[in-house]
Amino acid sequence: MSLVQQIRTMGYEVRLKPNGNLGLSPYSAMTEEHKEWVRANKAQIVRELRGTSRSVQLSGLPHWVKPPVATVGTSLSKVIEKAIPKSLLSLVPKATCGCADYEKKMNQWGLELCISKEAEILEHLVKQSDNMGFMVKTVPKMVRRKAAKKLYDRAIQMSMPRRPSLPSTCAVITACDDNFIKGAYLLAWTVLHNTNTRFICYDLGITNSKMRKQMQGWGVEFRKIRLSVRDVAGWQTFNKPWYIEDALRDHETVLWLDSDVYVSGNLLEMYEMTKENMFVPDHGYFVPDRNANHQGLYNFVDHPVVPYDLRKGSQWPCAGVLGMSTSRDSGFIRQWQDRILTAYKNKATGMISYFDQGVLQDIFDGILADGKKWNNLKAVRNGSVSDVFAQIRKGDSLIYHAGGVEKPWSNWQDMNWPDPRRVISK
């Protein structure tokens, strides 16, 4: 029986953390005897885990989500051969330098472990540079280390899975509290797995530091802003135009996705559509009979720009997926904010159907995007991680929206997924 198996028979789970350290849980329940045994056998346990680190790191995700082909070592060799003159490389004795062996070792480590072992790899490169002659050896090690870091960074970049990128003038945003942090986690993972983009999550009261830290490791930025509407049902979503306004201060284009949304593909087309017009979808496969606000609301605000009796079928806008531009849509956002504040000051927010959606539908009269593709409300509402990812993989829609009370992630446990930018789907 391996040491890893022995630990599991003791009732503990063991894994390699992204930084290469050993992780044991529940650590607080371990006896001192068991802790001492682990410390004495740590080196062998780490070696065993490195051989199976992929299955450990990808636990919880479907079998077809896999690490990229392990070519970091080969990529680094190519970068070195291109960047360093052959006259210097030829000074390194091939028979004893061990370069081929180290390349093979890095390929076996894979992308995640090579990232966690950056310091060790850089130290190896600096040491190898000692063999390139007297002139190179006299260069301060700090300078050589900076040069090695550039080569290493390039090799890591070459080894990353390739995916399209949104321009730096665009950001994808959402908002959540602890009740929706798992949804935001799923959303961020699926967005960043398919698209290179800046992703911002507005923090409405997140205390789950573990999930927050994981998401930050993927590049997710968390922000807090002053809330304009408080102490009413739906205050989280009534503040949506202020989240969008805040993000538009730094970006020309913002793609808003509710935190109970998940995506199956890249968001380039949504971005392109937003450049042409404000992006607002209909309800797709779900056709609401009526989403009308209470008539008493119109004692305080103007009547809808499109009368309710003219809205039929799926012609009702949905506020769960939006694309906006600062140069074109700032006036609309202010109108949206003013309407919410008027209802709030007159204690009339309870007259608004579906919170922010009820306000949006009253002031939007543009073309609606096809919700069957961009806002599929036939999303999995009560299922496992595999059920959700099976829908993502096999479905025809690009965006799924798990609206309503039931959420697929309500009972999901120990969501400890790998960096979505460093794995691939086959």
Side-chain angles (χ1 to χ4, degrees):
M1 181 185 295
S2 71
L3 297 184
V4 171
Q5 289 173 325
Q6 290 182 54
I7 292 173
R8 288 170 178 161
T9 60
M10 297 175 190
Y12 311 118
E13 186 52 57
V14 60
R15 70 187 190 282
L16 276 181
K17 295 180 180 179
N19 62 5
N21 292 335
L22 201 60
L24 290 143
S25 59
Y27 186 79
S28 58
M30 292 187 73
T31 67
E32 286 302 319
E33 181 182 0
H34 287 165
K35 289 179 182 178
E36 183 60 35
W37 182 87
V38 168
R39 282 193 287 267
N41 294 279
K42 181 178 178 181
Q44 178 59 32
I45 294 169
V46 169
R47 282 194 291 271
E48 288 183 13
L49 286 172
R50 283 176 180 169
T52 59
S53 62
R54 290 301 148 204
S55 61
V56 173
Q57 290 174 13
L58 301 183
S59 63
L61 292 176
H63 66 89
W64 43 266
V65 178
K66 302 178 179 180
V69 178
T71 58
V72 187
T74 302
S75 296
L76 181 58
S77 293
K78 291 179 179 178
V79 170
I80 290 173
E81 289 174 3
K82 187 175 181 179
I84 299 178
K86 291 182 180 179
S87 58
L88 292 177
L89 289 177
S90 63
L91 297 175
V92 182
K94 300 295 181 184
T96 59
C97 74
C99 295
D101 290 339
Y102 204 79
E103 175 184 337
K104 183 179 179 181
K105 182 187 292 188
M106 288 180 65
N107 285 343
Q108 290 174 340
W109 285 342
L111 180 60
E112 286 287 335
L113 203 51
C114 282
I115 290 173
S116 70
K117 296 172 76 67
E118 175 182 332
E120 177 182 329
I121 294 169
L122 295 182
E123 184 62 30
H124 171 78
L125 294 176
V126 172
K127 185 177 179 181
Q128 288 294 82
S129 68
D130 285 343
N131 297 319
M132 293 182 184
F134 175 76
M135 292 300 293
V136 173
K137 196 170 183 179
T138 58
V139 176
K141 282 192 174 182
M142 183 177 66
V143 175
R144 283 187 277 161
R145 185 179 178 83
K146 287 183 178 180
K149 179 72 164 60
K150 289 183 179 180
L151 302 178
Y152 164 85
D153 287 344
R154 177 59 182 152
I156 292 295
Q157 190 61 42
M158 288 171 61
S159 303
M160 290 283 192
R162 294 182 180 179
R163 50 181 55 87
S165 299
L166 290 177
S168 59
T169 54
C170 179
V172 178
I173 70 171
T174 193
C176 75
D177 54 16
D178 270 349
N179 292 323
F180 276 71
I181 185 65
K182 291 181 182 178
Y185 187 99
L186 170 64
L187 169 63
W189 201 97
T190 56
V191 167
L192 296 173
H193 183 59
N194 290 288
T195 312
N196 292 321
T197 182
R198 187 175 187 183
F199 191 105
I200 301 170
C201 180
Y202 285 86
D203 182 349
L204 307 183
I206 300 171
T207 61
N208 190 324
S209 58
K210 178 181 177 182
M211 298 189 79
R212 180 189 177 110
K213 186 175 181 180
Q214 286 182 43
M215 294 168 70
Q216 287 174 320
W218 307 341
V220 174
E221 174 188 342
F222 288 86
R223 286 188 183 181
K224 287 188 177 183
I225 62 171
R226 185 181 65 83
L227 301 174
S228 298
V229 178
R230 294 175 175 270
D231 306 321
V232 296
W235 63 266
Q236 299 94 330
T237 190
F238 271 130
N239 283 282
K240 186 180 294 184
W242 283 275
Y243 313 142
I244 295 173
E245 179 186 54
D246 181 77
L248 284 173
R249 291 191 178 100
D250 305 324
H251 304 87
E252 168 58 28
T253 307
V254 162
L255 307 183
W256 166 274
L257 301 173
D258 277 3
S259 54
D260 56 359
V261 161
Y262 49 89
V263 309
S264 67
N266 73 69
L267 298 175
L268 285 180
E269 186 179 354
M270 181 180 174
Y271 166 73
E272 293 295 337
M273 293 171 70
T274 300
K275 288 203 302 183
E276 296 296 323
N277 298 287
M278 189 191 306
F279 187 98
V280 182
D282 59 37
H283 289 263
Y285 293 101
F286 173 68
V287 180
D289 294 330
R290 258 178 110 71
N291 278 347
N293 296 316
H294 190 283
Q295 283 300 308
L297 178 66
Y298 304 109
N299 293 324
F300 311 107
V301 299
D302 293 338
H303 285 271
V305 292
V306 178
Y308 288 156
D309 57 2
L310 297 183
R311 288 200 187 276
K312 298 178 181 179
S314 63
Q315 295 177 352
W316 295 82
C318 180
V321 179
L322 301 170
M324 294 191 174
S325 162
T326 187
S327 59
R328 181 192 61 229
D329 302 321
S330 295
F332 180 89
I333 292 171
R334 284 193 294 272
Q335 184 183 359
W336 189 2
Q337 293 170 335
D338 290 344
R339 202 172 183 90
I340 290 173
L341 288 176
T342 299
Y344 180 57
K345 290 173 182 176
N346 287 281
K347 302 186 184 304
T349 54
M351 298 179 182
I352 301 173
S353 69
Y354 300 103
F355 312 111
D356 57 309
Q357 180 177 292
V359 182
L360 182 82
Q361 70 190 17
D362 276 4
I363 60 176
F364 182 76
D365 61 352
I367 300 171
L368 295 175
D370 180 6
K372 293 178 181 178
K373 179 177 182 180
W374 297 105
N375 183 42
N376 188 343
L377 284 157
K378 284 187 175 181
V380 170
R381 305 291 180 85
N382 186 9
S384 66
V385 175
S386 292
D387 291 333
V388 168
F389 277 83
Q391 182 176 53
I392 289 172
R393 194 181 190 198
K394 298 176 182 177
D396 296 326
S397 302
L398 283 176
I399 296 178
Y400 292 89
H401 187 179
V405 176
E406 280 193 315
K407 306 298 180 186
W409 28 263
S410 296
N411 296 316
W412 292 358
Q413 301 296 324
D414 194 26
M415 293 170 69
N416 186 24
W417 300 355
D419 190 324
R421 302 167 299 176
R422 296 174 188 163
V423 294
I424 57 176
S425 297
K426 290 186 177 181

